[in-house]
Amino acid sequence: MEQRPPIIINRLDAERLQRLIDNATDKEQAVAELLEEELMRGEVIDPELIPDNVVSMNSQIRFTDLTRGRQMIRTLVYPHAMDSVEDAISVMAPIGAGLIGLKVGDVIHWPIPNNATVQLRVDAILWQPEREKQFHR
């Protein structure tokens, strides 16, 4: 597998994500393991220090699936928020887990089910809680 770009994760997000990982169902286990790898390799910092070009939880991002040639706008959410956010993608979904902590311009090769991979590129962060001073959402 190709080297993944460095990532930065909000400390509060990291704590919440770890709880999700610890409580993952059998169906979520593969994504939970990938997410835990990301948490382990990521730089975890206080919410107030998150740069405004980094994908954090509840960020609305424009990204491109370079494998399929599709650009999308999605808000990265926790599973419980899927029904309340119109353009939601769960951090426990294969592609959602690959986006956390990336910076605008980063490209990541990310595994998805059926032994496939996708190449994702973060094009823009349209809204980010930390940029709006919402540090404890």
Side-chain angles (χ1 to χ4, degrees), residues 41-89:
R41 75 179 192 86
E43 178 186 359
V44 177
I45 63 175
D46 288 337
E48 297 82 4
L49 302 176
I50 292 288
D52 63 7
N53 67 338
V54 170
V55 177
S56 62
M57 291 304 300
N58 300 305
S59 292
Q60 184 184 52
I61 57 176
R62 186 174 65 231
F63 66 97
T64 302
D65 176 341
L66 297 169
T67 307
R68 296 182 186 100
R70 289 182 45 203
Q71 189 173 74
M72 295 166 265
I73 295 176
R74 297 286 184 268
T75 299
L76 186 63
V77 300
Y78 295 101
H80 71 270
M82 284 295 294
D83 293 336
S84 61
V85 177
E86 187 176 322
D87 62 354
I89 185 169

Side-chain angles (χ1 to χ4, degrees), residues 25-41:
T25 64
D26 288 343
K27 181 181 170 191
E28 298 169 325
Q29 201 58 49
V31 173
E33 289 173 11
L34 288 168
L35 195 53
E36 189 158 46
E37 285 176 23
E38 292 299 272
L39 286 181
M40 297 296 286
R41 75 179 192 86

Side-chain angles (χ1 to χ4, degrees), residues 3 18 21 41 44 48 51 56 87 90 106 108 121 124 130:
Q3 175 114 8
Q18 188 61 58
I21 292 163
R41 75 179 192 86
V44 177
E48 297 82 4
S56 62
D87 62 354
S90 172
D106 280 350
I108 191 167
R121 180 185 66 218
E130 293 84 358

